[in-house]
């Protein structure tokens, strides 16, 4: 999730060659990647944080160490109190984590108020289509994801205010 959110670049090597793949293309489905049978993952590069950029990660699992039922990763940078650099990645029972660029674009450049946070979290909830599971219904994952996104956004706003004072 973090690799997809930050647009990490995994480097894969095999005899006679090296290639770099965006994290979103590297992850293909649960427990499946774009790694060839003759390749190995040798590095992953992540972009540097912008000055003043803050981040938060929230996840929920049933037991410590389990895979997350839902998770959210957020980064924010601010200009004059407005959220300009905004990235949101989510995992909610779909095949791979997703970066919600289309959702975020509608909220970029606005002041992060409680209402803005609630609307963005709601939009994230509506953007996902988790698979139904006998013990974890899709609607529950969506509701949980909305809460986690709101908490991650709130934490980013808190961190930004802590660093600006």
């Amino acid at each position: 999730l973090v690799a997809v959110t930050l647009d990490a670049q995994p480097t894969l090597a095999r005899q006679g060659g090296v290639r770099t793949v965006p994290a979103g293309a590297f992850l293909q489905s649960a427990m499946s990647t774009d790694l060839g049978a003759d390749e190995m993952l040798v590095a992953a590069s992540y972009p540097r944080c912008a000055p003043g950029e803050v981040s938060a990660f929230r996840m929920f699992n049933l037991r410590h160490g389990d895979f997350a039922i839902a998770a959210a990763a957020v980064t924010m940078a601010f200009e004059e109190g407005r959220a300009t650099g905004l990235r949101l990645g989510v995992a909610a029972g779909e095949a791979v984590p997703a970066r919600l660029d289309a959702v975020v674009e509608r909220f970029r450049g606005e002041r992060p108020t409680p209402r803005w946070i609630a609307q963005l979290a709601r939009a994230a909830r509506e953007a996902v289509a988790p698979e139904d599971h006998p013990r974890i219904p899709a609607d529950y994952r969506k509701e949980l994801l909305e809460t986690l996104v709101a908490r991650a956004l709130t934490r980013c706003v808190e961190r930004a205010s802590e660093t600006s004072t």
Side-chain angles (χ1 to χ4, degrees):
L1 172 58
V2 172
V4 169
T5 303
L6 298 178
D7 199 23
Q9 303 288 315
T11 300
L12 312 174
R14 67 172 191 227
Q15 188 173 5
V18 174
R19 68 184 175 110
T20 302
V21 182
F26 179 67
L27 301 170
Q28 295 184 331
S29 67
M31 306 289 197
S32 180
T33 66
D34 185 33
L35 188 66
D38 62 341
E39 293 179 310
M40 63 187 279
L41 176 65
V42 295
S45 24
Y46 288 79
R48 290 183 186 260
C49 292
E53 185 175 24
V54 294
S55 62
F57 178 83
R58 295 290 181 264
M59 68 179 273
F60 180 84
N61 52 8
L62 294 176
R63 291 175 303 274
H64 180 73
D66 280 357
F67 287 105
I69 292 172
V74 175
T75 67
M76 288 177 138
F78 295 87
E79 288 180 28
E80 299 176 5
R82 297 180 184 278
T84 53
L86 181 58
R87 291 179 285 205
L88 170 60
V90 298
E94 294 176 297
V96 294
R99 191 163 132 174
L100 303 182
D101 291 339
V103 170
V104 164
E105 192 56 40
R106 299 186 310 226
F107 295 89
R108 188 172 281 126
E110 296 183 28
R111 294 191 186 281
T113 64
R115 181 177 178 188
W116 179 88
I117 289 170
Q119 288 175 336
L120 178 46
R122 181 66 169 190
R125 172 189 180 146
E126 293 168 1
V128 299
E131 297 173 6
D132 237 341
H133 185 277
R135 294 187 346 216
I136 308 166
D139 287 342
Y140 175 69
R141 283 186 196 263
K142 289 174 76 126
E143 184 176 327
L144 186 56
L145 181 70
E146 181 178 359
T147 299
L148 295 172
V149 168
R151 289 179 181 174
L153 290 165
T154 299
R155 184 62 186 131
C156 280
V157 171
E158 291 168 353
R159 284 187 170 155
S161 67
E162 291 167 3
T163 58
S164 67
T165 56

